Structures are given as structure tokens and as C-alpha cells.
Amino acid sequence: MANLIDIRRRIRSVKNTQQITKAMKMVAAARLRRAQDRILATRPYAEEIRRVMANLAAHAGDLHHPLLESRPEKKVLLVVVTGDKGLAGSFNANVLRRAGEVIPRLAAVELLLLGRKGVDFFRRRPLKVRKGHTTLFSNVTYAQAQEIAEDLSTAYAAGEYDSVRVVYNRFKSIMSQELTEETLLPIPAPAEQDASASREYLFEPSAESILEELLPRYITFQVYRVLLESQAAEHAARMTASDSATKNAGEIIDRLTLRYNRARQAAITTQLIEVVSGANALEG
């Protein structure tokens, strides 16, 4: 009988867990909807300004701007974008693993960590960390991206780093996220398909003033896009993980219920046999 009590307790415990994971899935789905709308609205502008800036950098001629300077990569700033919370499947582990693969390939590296999971992970590693942000993804704003972008631009213009790279999860669909490594600075050259469609620009009032205005805005918006991509990917990963956990809990409940019914049937059969055996003994 004690075995039946233990099984009932386990069933009750798994049902409670199932209710929690189901609620987590609903919350993640609601947040994903908003994050997905934001990133889908952001991507076209981010891609167009990236293409324009790449063409400008390629046709700038004798223009000199600190953010356009390309130098040998002696020191690299690696931006690692993770989440602030767990329970999102392999979302954080994939980013941290890719960062661990990138770091040995670089001569000298310093880290900028966006997300509490990255901060907690690299706190125990002997790597130099420039700064860590732990409360970005509760509400991603353009002002936050601007603050980070200004720090990156100032450091690169001062020659502290020869390259700024970012590793993050790009939102692909609800079921999948694409692990991505990009170069923020220096501005990459236009891709081959973009180069064929590139055009000459007439600068008015002047190329210097236009670049002075556009370059910081470009860096800010690319950082903003990366934050939104990671936020949407995290919500999608958490929703998928919660859905899988809910289904797994349901399967465990079914197995435990079957086990409980078998144990209960065996107990009833044993009791019946004892009753019949006792009755036969009295008749004898």
C-alpha cells in the first residue's frame, strides 16, 4: 500500500511540474509574438543601411574616418550575446560553445558580455572582460543599443581594438535559431552580389559630414538588431523547450498511471486471494 502512496505522490508532483511548464510556454509564446514583430520590422532597414554603408566604405576614396580604418587583427573585442535566464534548451550553451571555439583562433581577445548567462560563465574563466550587461533582455530599447554602440565605436576609434565581432543566436523560425558570427567593425566590404549593384554616390553637403552622421547610427542599429534577434530567438527556444517538457511530463504521467493501476490491481487481487483462502480455511 505504501508503494501506491508513493506513486500517487509522484503523479501529483509531475502534474504540478506540467502545469508550470505549460504556463511557461504560454508566457514565452506571448513574448515571442511581440519580439518577432519587432525583429521582422527591423530587418529591412538594418539590411539596407548595412548595404549602403558597405558601398560607401568601398567608394569613400581618400576619406578617412576612424570607423572605416582596417587594421591587422592584433587585438579583437568579441561580443558574446546570451540570455539572462535559463530553461531555454541549448540556447545559451550553443553561444558559449561557439565563443569558446572562436577565442583560441584570435591572437588577443577581450570580451563584451551581453546577458547574465555569459557573465556568469566567463566570470570563472581567465579571460579579460571589458564589461558585462545583465538586464538588457527584460526590455530591449534603442537607448541601450546606443549606449553599447557608443562604447564600441569609441574604443575602436581610439585603436584599443582592431576588430569587433559578435556571436549570437539569430532568430530563424519558432523551431530553430541560427548561430551567427558577424564582424561589426571595421565595416565589412560589400558582398559580391551587392558589389555588382553598387553605385557611385554624390555627397551633399559633404562626404565627411554624412559619414560622421551615418556611421554611429549604423553601428547603433546593428547592435539594436542583434539584441532583438537574440531576444526573439531566446523566447522561441524557451517556448520550444517548455512545450517539450510539457509533453514529456504527460508521458511520465501516463506511465506512472499505468504502473499505479497495475499495482492497485495486484493489491486487490492479493486481498481477494487472502479472503478466499481464509474462507476456505474456515470451511475446512
Side-chain angles (χ1 to χ4, degrees), residues 176-198:
S176 65
Q177 300 82 43
E178 184 179 3
L179 196 58
T180 306
E181 179 185 350
E182 293 180 1
T183 299
L184 288 179
L185 290 170
I187 296 175
E192 185 176 346
Q193 60 270 27
D194 291 340
S196 61
S198 63

Side-chain angles (χ1 to χ4, degrees), residues 104 207 217 220 267 275:
R217 185 176 300 182
T220 299
V275 170

Side-chain angles (χ1 to χ4, degrees), residues 102-139:
V102 172
I103 290 172
R105 302 200 307 259
L106 304 175
V109 64
E110 195 168 326
L111 301 176
L112 176 63
L113 306 175
L114 308 182
R116 183 178 298 278
K117 288 298 180 179
V119 172
D120 293 341
F121 179 82
F122 286 105
R123 182 182 295 151
R124 301 185 296 271
R125 270 76 180 172
L127 293 169
K128 189 174 181 181
V129 177
R130 177 181 179 86
K131 192 177 294 186
H133 298 267
T134 58
T135 57
L136 289 173
F137 297 102
S138 58
N139 182 29

